[in-house]
Amino acid sequence: MRELEEQLARAKLLASITQHIRESLDFDEILTTAVTEVRQVLQADRVLIFHLTSQGSGVVIKESVLPEYPVTKEMLFLDECFPEQCYEYYCQGRPRIVLDVCKDEWADCLAEFMEQVGVKTKIVAPIVQMDDDNLPKVWGLLIVHSCAYYRQWQSSDAELVQHISDQLAIALKQADLYSQLQTSETHLRNAFETAVNGMAMLTLSGHFMQVNPALCQLLGYSKSELLQFAVQDLIQPEELDQHHNHIQDLIADRTLSLQIESELRHKSGKTRWAICSVSVVRDPEGEPLYFVVQVQDINERHALEQLKSEFISSVSHELRTPLTSIRGSLGLLASGVLDHQPEKHKRLIEIAAIESERLVRLVDDLLDLERLQSQQVTLHPEWFSAMSLIQQVVENLRPTADSNNVHLDIEPTSVQVWADSDRIIQVLINLVSNAIKFSPSGSTVRLSVQSQNDEELLQSSDKQQDVLEPARSIAISPYSQVVFQVTDQGRGIPADQLELIFDRFQQVNKSDSRDQAGVGLGLAICKNIVQQHGGLIWAESKVGQGSTFYFTLPVP
Ligand code: ADP
């Protein structure tokens, strides 16, 4: 009867430890349970786990011991304590019963220790693991001590202890795999979290399951906000409809991945262009589980492309107008119908010449702007007198002003300027010739230059909304500025165009390009030159009364 009870208790112990190993991935906790339960079931005085740290040496890492016996936990044993022969025996996964520890041929050096901790007999069962080359290696030993008397351990006792050791070896392997899994999971999570591109996992119905910080930043939402959304909330329905068939092909495994250029809705209400690369993750049977989406922000690239295509269409348009005139004039001349009408003949040649000049100017301006924008122009700054500079400009433009009956007026100044004089003359010529072009006959165009400190500029900015932006920037500059002004009494510029006219091909009236022979690049060039000098350029105007163009140059 007692024997039966004992067998039952042993079977229960084995089952309980096996169960524990299946349910828990906490190896430390499994070892604690094992030593405690083995000691109870075998009614031993001490059960411990000795872990081999390197060949033959090791440390006691777990122990369950009756209070009357010394504690061995954390005791360290060095190399010589573990003979090679013994190690090889344990590698085979075989337990040992030692019926008198003082006579243990494989543990001579342990005799003293055994006496100290009061051990008389013991069972030792190895915990064996396979190494990387699939060779057995002793990870540790499960050791059962009898201290009270010379207990006659049975082979069934040793078998039980070995069974438990084998279970512990399984638990150890599981814990190893789990920690490898955790490491690779951490690596994957880190890659997901730190990816530069937005990344998301979506259910097959399009709901966000997982999003990374880059995607949150791209869309302006927090992670918890995005996890409430489906992709349908971020993409126009028409766009989704457009990709419906491709997405179905992807789910059905007819295509491997999908690239969609989409306009995604940002939290601010604006949209952002992005390339979404979509693929499907499947289970081992090939059933689709969820989508993985990579989102690359191409908003700036998209804006640049748009700008480029607008630019190309503007340039083509600007080139086409004069070319059509030239072709028309030359065609008429070539046909000979006007051979006997010298006046009309002359007029057509004039038109062709004017339009050719316009073409050359357009191409020159385009090349100049391109060079300035790509920083290919090196400035050669020097000190010069502002007065001599504006005098040169006025002399240069006097014939044009005279033919338009516009008076040019200079306000005397002694200001010195540090700049590339040729480039500043280019800016002034453009501003003054614009002023002449858009002024009525009999009016005056005035040029002046003043030195100003930062506060004065800031005060002047309060008077005019349009200068608020540049003036603020000036306020942070440590230098005082030189301010150039070109004032006319012409037709003026509407407030909503005051900034736009500094962009390429921007003209207030469509007819300006025809009537005034302009190409809309002059102010864009001026802006570039002034900015390269570290200055600012802006305009103030009252429609019907006139305009003033300002630009500043910092004084070093
Ligand atoms: P362009 O004079 O060759 O057309 P700009 O870039 O120099 O090119 O000027 C752009 C546009 O700004 C002009 O076409 C005109 O509509 C407007 N503009 C420039 N200066 C003046 C001015 N002083 N008065 C009125 N409008 C002006």
Side-chain angles (χ1 to χ4, degrees), residues 7-25:
Q7 269 182 14
L8 197 69
R10 289 168 179 224
K12 265 191 184 165
L13 168 69
L14 203 57
S16 131
I17 290 181
T18 314
Q19 178 80 2
H20 202 84
I21 288 168
R22 281 202 196 121
E23 284 170 0
S24 168
L25 285 167

Side-chain angles (χ1 to χ4, degrees), residues 79 113 133 251 283 308 364-365 380 427 456 486 527 534:
D79 309 299
F113 161 74
D133 303 321
I251 296 176
D283 69 10
K308 202 166 98 190
D364 281 351
D365 281 357
H380 301 286
V427 172
E456 278 171 301
V486 177
K527 185 173 163 182

Side-chain angles (χ1 to χ4, degrees), residues 6 246 279 339 483:
E6 238 174 51
H246 296 127
S279 53
D339 279 358
V483 186

Side-chain angles (χ1 to χ4, degrees), residues 430 434-435 437-438 488 491-493 501 506-509 512 518-524 547 549:
N430 193 71
N434 273 352
K437 266 196 307 196
F438 297 103
D488 65 53
R491 70 174 195 207
I493 302 159
I501 50 170
Q506 292 295 332
Q507 295 179 310
V508 174
N509 294 334
D512 285 351
V519 290
L521 291 173
L523 290 179
S547 317
F549 280 78

Side-chain angles (χ1 to χ4, degrees), residues 15 32 56 82 189 191 204 260 300 310 341 465 548 551 553:
T32 309
F82 217 93
R189 185 149 18 88
L204 295 179
I260 306 174
E300 273 174 29
E310 275 168 22
Q341 300 182 47
Q465 272 298 311
T548 301
F551 70 90
L553 293 176

